[in-house]
Amino acid sequence: QLLSSPLTEHPIPSHIMVYEVQKRVQDAHEDAIWTVKWCDDLIVSGGSDEKVIARSVETLEQKYEVENLDWGCVCIESNRSQDLLACSSLDSKIHVLQARTGHRTTVIDASPVETWGIQFHPIQPLLASGSKSGNINLWSVETGERVQTFEPNGGFAMSVAFSSDGALLACGSIDGVVSVFDVETAKRVHVMEAHTLPVRALKFAPKSPVLYTGSDDKHINMYDFSGPSENLIASMSGHSSWVLSLDCSPDLKYVASGSADKKVKVWEVATQKCAHTFDSHTEPVWSVSYNADGTQLVSGSEDRSLVVYSTTR
């Protein structure tokens, strides 16, 4: 089977990945884009202009806008069913929205400290958030009440990630330490100190015991939690500046990264090598997100643009 490509007159074997820029919105926000999330048929982005904007995947036309995320929107995540979005802002608020309409259902007050990385629990109606205090808080999505606190005993908790079964919760800190907690007992069960600088990005692979961590030290580490202790499988390098964002393809074969070097890279898990580099932004790439089947990827940058890429076979 062969695929045609607009980049060449010759057919391309179907086992070779085709990477290309499909669409771009140059001024998607009025200021830097800090976060982007692919949610079903919407691409939802937020940034320093204090807005969340949802766009149609097909046309990139705006569907709705949510304002008043004071001091800027740092992180957007969706729940597993993709009917809810959570948006963290630097005023210590977490806004829970209906994904289709942008209607606010809950506003969680996480004050007095800034809230950064967030993630929904994959099974229960709970939401984890990191904070400048160093603690990770677990919130009820329905009531907005705090139900648990995890204490890594470190610095600023910049990123958080649940394992796909919800049993583990990982936290990346400003001191480079990655802590992993047993969610049921709230006890820290793993501590990884391989990174030497802040860990801004964490991602558990879907339905897998593998955790990816991205750091200001320019490395992406890959850990396996299938055994009683963590196993550092690989450390991938290729970015020339901070790793700011990570996402895993649904088939577990690829990991995408965004960096302060203005690049988006796609890494092949089997070889731990960079399969492709996109050079479509003029400023740091703060966020990357795959679509549901891994055939497309979107990035958001400080240059205010959104770029959609093809990652098809």
Side-chain angles (χ1 to χ4, degrees), residues 65-248:
E65 179 179 296
V66 180
E67 298 182 320
N68 301 321
L69 282 85
D70 293 347
W71 304 352
C73 177
V74 184
C75 184
I76 298 173
E77 290 291 341
S78 64
N79 64 349
R80 178 169 283 183
S81 60
Q82 298 196 329
D83 60 336
L84 292 177
L85 295 169
C87 315
S88 62
S89 52
L90 289 178
D91 63 350
S92 305
K93 300 289 194 306
I94 303 170
H95 304 255
V96 181
L97 314 174
Q98 292 179 353
R100 306 309 308 168
T101 65
H103 173 72
R104 283 185 176 92
T105 62
T106 312
V107 177
I108 298 170
D109 186 353
S111 59
V113 293
E114 292 177 2
T115 297
W116 281 56
I118 55 175
Q119 191 173 42
F120 283 96
H121 190 280
I123 301 168
Q124 302 178 49
L126 299 171
L127 182 75
S129 66
S131 69
K132 202 168 185 178
S133 71
N135 291 339
I136 308 168
N137 293 311
L138 198 60
W139 308 91
S140 166
V141 173
E142 297 168 344
T143 68
E145 297 296 319
R146 183 167 54 195
V147 298
Q148 183 63 272
T149 297
F150 302 84
E151 299 180 358
N153 299 318
F156 190 171
M158 306 187 79
S159 51
V160 294
F162 281 108
S163 59
S164 60
D165 61 1
L168 298 177
L169 175 60
C171 163
S173 297
I174 197 169
D175 56 8
V177 175
V178 177
S179 300
V180 179
F181 292 85
D182 181 297
V183 173
E184 184 176 356
T185 65
K187 291 183 179 179
R188 187 162 63 167
V189 291
H190 302 285
V191 179
M192 292 92 80
E193 299 180 331
H195 288 298
T196 59
L197 291 172
V199 178
R200 298 176 187 267
L202 290 175
K203 186 67 67 170
F204 271 102
K207 300 179 182 179
S208 167
V210 174
L211 173 69
Y212 296 93
T213 62
S215 169
D216 286 10
D217 65 13
K218 310 174 191 175
H219 286 80
I220 300 167
N221 288 350
M222 180 179 175
Y223 296 91
D224 182 6
F225 289 92
S226 59
S229 61
E230 75 278 358
N231 178 27
L232 177 58
I233 302 171
S235 185
M236 299 177 285
S237 62
H239 283 295
S240 60
S241 190
W242 305 347
V243 179
L244 302 175
S245 179
L246 296 171
D247 201 14
C248 302

